[in-house]
Amino acid sequence: MTNDPYLRLKSRFNRIGALGEASAMLGWDASAMMPEGGGASRGEQLAVLAGLSHELLTAPVVAEDLAAAEASPPAERWDAANLALMRRTHTRAACLPGDLVEAVSRANSACEKVWRKARAASDFAMVRPYLEEVVRLQREEAAALSGATGLAPYDALMDGFQRGIGAADVEPVFAAYESFLKEALPEAEAIQARRPAPVEPSGPFPVEIQKRLCRQLSERIGLDFTHARLDESAHPFSGGTPADARITTRYDEGNFAQALLGVAHETGHALYERGLPEAWERQPVGEAAGMAAHESQSLLIEVQACRSDAFLSWLGPQLHAAFGGATEAYDGANLGRLWRRVARGFIRVDADEMTYPAHVILRFRLERALIGGDLAVADLPGAWNEGFRGLLGLTPPDDRRGCLQDIHWYDGAFGYFPSYTLGAMAAAQIMAAARAAVPGIDAALAQGDFAPLLGWLRPNIHGKAASLGFQDLLREATGGPLDPAAFTRHLRARYLEG
């Protein structure tokens, strides 16, 4: 064993990282492959792995090695950043008792399993006691993290998903966007109403053809399938590891866009993971810069690139060749009107990019109240409906289209939701910077070529990994911290000025 405390830490974190990768693969399997009857056993497996990882991370020798390494810190920037992130990871873990870590994992697994049935039945009462236990444990975890980090309890949970971002950072951004939406949404709806309605492609669209097109699109964007898989799941997601990316989508013979755009989104996530530096694999500094950064990459590919006029002009003929039907339905301009329609709706994952932040704002406010004890789980459906009505003027007709629609809370992910809208805002800002740096990006997209865009993202975003925080990553890549105005400029150009 080496006498260098930092090298000992690197070795230990490599083992912790491998356990995390094993958990990630088991999680992917649970959603994409595992039979329904395996849920309880899988929950126990994940709980044991979480416990083992926690034991490795909180062993007394870790604190000793951290103190010794910090007394004589490494000079190289990446090593210094890695050591700082090791300390952060240890601080967040050491304040949590091992039995709490395993209890959280078990409660999340149990609740998520019941949620699937409750959502299908639109029966919140079915899952309510399980969610109450999840929230109770999340409050306990948040309190412990708060004591260790000095952050407010909800901020401590947020910080676990996006380092350095708290409610005070998000609130003014969301308030400003809500004001923008009140004026921009009716204007966009009026402009849209004056335009010719888009022509809907006529199905059915055979699933086997969709699968082939989805794989081809993912490969064209840049995903290497010697290190990736594309499978089917009830809810599209990206998982796996940097060396073994797993993405999923879902297919509907009446709507090929759902699968295709879902794959574009998940490919953006997978490309980020694949672009992380191999030299720092399984080290804290070698991970993504956080979930807002991650969402920026998925939304940049799906919304900024794949829904752009340039790319749609190339994609349309490919779709027509695959599915046949009326040529005008696959015209790039028609696809743009079809896939960039503004429409108030109940479901977050189906929302357009203008109304999507309203869905996130609602969830941010509700989950903050749940963790803070200002909202009881029993009152969640009513609070959801009231909040949704205030933001978008609609009242969900049932809980399936209300508070049961997302997996996050039922799987213990409190503090994640703000990352979606922060990511959308960052995606607009990053794409503008990429276009300024590489003027030929849109011309390449019009040929179905993502290489210039990916060539810029690799060194400027992906390759930086977690060596920089979210705001510093944006500063280096775009010249400034998160600028919500970049997002509203993008929306104005796409929906109000075209």
Side-chain angles (χ1 to χ4, degrees):
M1 179 179 291
T2 177
N3 290 323
D4 186 324
Y6 174 62
L7 293 181
R8 286 198 298 269
L9 287 168
K10 286 187 71 175
S11 177
R12 181 174 290 265
F13 272 84
N14 185 69
R15 295 174 66 196
I16 293 168
L19 286 174
E21 290 181 350
S23 294
M25 297 309 293
L26 287 173
W28 164 82
D29 178 79
S31 294
M33 296 290 177
M34 186 186 75
E36 182 180 354
S41 177
R42 182 57 47 84
E44 183 62 21
Q45 293 160 6
L46 289 169
V48 169
L49 285 174
L52 288 172
S53 180
H54 187 263
E55 288 174 11
L56 277 173
L57 189 52
T58 58
V61 68
V62 178
E64 296 168 6
D65 281 345
L66 281 169
E70 288 167 341
S72 182
E76 203 277 327
R77 185 175 71 85
W78 278 72
D79 282 306
N82 197 36
L83 179 59
L85 290 170
M86 288 173 172
R87 168 60 75 182
R88 164 189 156 83
T89 305
H90 179 263
T91 297
R92 291 182 62 87
C95 68
L96 302 176
D99 56 355
L100 174 60
V101 171
E102 293 196 25
V104 165
S105 181
R106 290 189 179 95
N108 292 348
S109 293
C111 185
E112 188 267 344
K113 183 180 178 183
V114 176
W115 164 77
R116 292 183 182 276
K117 297 178 181 178
R119 180 177 180 271
S122 192
D123 184 358
F124 180 75
M126 182 189 300
V127 76
R128 173 183 157 184
Y130 296 88
L131 182 59
E132 286 174 336
E133 177 65 4
V134 167
V135 170
R136 183 187 72 79
L137 291 170
Q138 286 294 311
R139 287 172 178 166
E140 188 175 339
E141 181 175 331
L145 288 167
S146 176
T149 63
L151 300 171
Y154 177 69
D155 284 357
L157 295 179
M158 281 186 69
D159 190 65
F161 293 108
Q162 185 55 69
R163 173 168 42 116
I165 300 293
D169 303 297
V170 168
E171 279 183 303
V173 171
F174 284 0
Y177 189 82
E178 187 176 1
S179 297
F180 164 80
L181 188 65
K182 285 180 179 178
E183 295 184 5
L185 180 55
E187 184 180 350
E189 289 171 328
I191 291 171
Q192 187 171 272
R194 293 195 294 268
R195 292 174 175 165
V199 179
E200 294 273 0
S202 179
F205 308 101
V207 168
E208 287 307 311
I209 295 178
Q210 291 190 54
K211 287 182 177 180
R212 173 170 54 82
L213 286 173
C214 284
R215 166 122 179 191
Q216 289 173 346
L217 174 63
S218 189
E219 288 178 320
R220 180 164 284 276
I221 294 170
L223 190 58
D224 174 6
F225 274 82
T226 63
H227 288 276
R229 282 182 61 97
L230 169 59
D231 292 284
E232 191 171 352
S233 67
H235 306 280
F237 70 96
S238 177
T241 74
D244 184 3
R246 305 296 176 97
I247 63 173
T248 72
T249 194
R250 55 187 173 190
Y251 301 98
D252 178 351
E253 287 205 338
N255 177 17
F256 67 84
Q258 174 181 274
L260 198 69
L261 294 172
V263 163
H265 184 95
E266 303 308 336
T267 296
H269 280 304
L271 284 176
Y272 189 8
E273 290 291 315
R274 291 286 304 128
L276 296 173
E278 289 185 22
W280 294 96
E281 185 180 21
R282 301 194 185 109
Q283 294 297 307
V285 78
E287 297 174 358
M291 292 317 302
H294 233 305
E295 293 300 336
S296 79
Q297 296 309 286
S298 59
L299 291 167
L300 187 146
I301 293 298
E302 179 210 346
V303 177
Q304 297 290 329
C306 287
R307 296 188 194 229
S308 69
D309 289 337
F311 183 67
L312 292 178
S313 70
W314 176 86
L315 181 64
Q318 317 304 316
L319 297 175
H320 183 251
F323 295 123
T327 304
E328 60 268 26
Y330 297 99
D331 175 74
N334 183 71
L335 290 176
R337 291 195 302 274
L338 191 64
W339 293 352
R340 300 196 302 249
R341 280 187 291 185
V342 171
R344 304 175 197 230
F346 300 112
I347 305 300
R348 174 185 62 86
V349 296
D350 295 335
D352 60 87
E353 59 181 323
M354 183 176 282
T355 60
Y356 191 105
H359 294 259
V360 172
I361 291 168
L362 172 66
R363 288 154 175 80
F364 162 69
R365 291 171 177 168
L366 293 178
E367 68 178 10
R368 191 180 181 195
L370 283 167
I371 296 301
D374 300 314
L375 176 65
V377 170
D379 297 328
L380 178 59
W384 180 289
N385 293 350
E386 181 182 353
F388 199 82
R389 189 163 51 247
L391 284 162
L392 287 175
L394 302 174
T395 301
D398 50 48
D399 290 336
R400 182 175 61 83
R401 284 171 283 189
C403 65
L404 284 175
Q405 65 182 268
D406 295 310
I407 190 174
H408 301 62
W409 294 338
Y410 304 92
D411 197 30
F414 286 82
Y416 187 111
F417 277 116
S419 295
Y420 286 116
T421 289
L422 297 178
M425 292 176 173
Q429 185 172 338
I430 292 168
M431 190 63 164
R435 284 184 167 124
V438 186
I441 281 177
D442 284 299
L445 289 175
Q447 300 299 316
D449 181 6
F450 285 78
L453 175 58
L454 189 57
W456 186 88
L457 290 172
R458 285 296 194 222
N460 288 287
I461 302 293
H462 304 168
K464 298 292 179 65
S467 67
L468 299 170
F470 179 58
Q471 296 285 23
D472 286 336
L473 179 67
L474 289 175
R475 285 187 183 94
E476 286 206 3
T478 72
L482 182 68
D483 179 13
F487 184 55
T488 54
R489 283 195 298 271
H490 158 73
L491 294 177
R492 288 186 184 281
R494 183 170 275 187
Y495 296 98
L496 304 180
E497 298 169 1

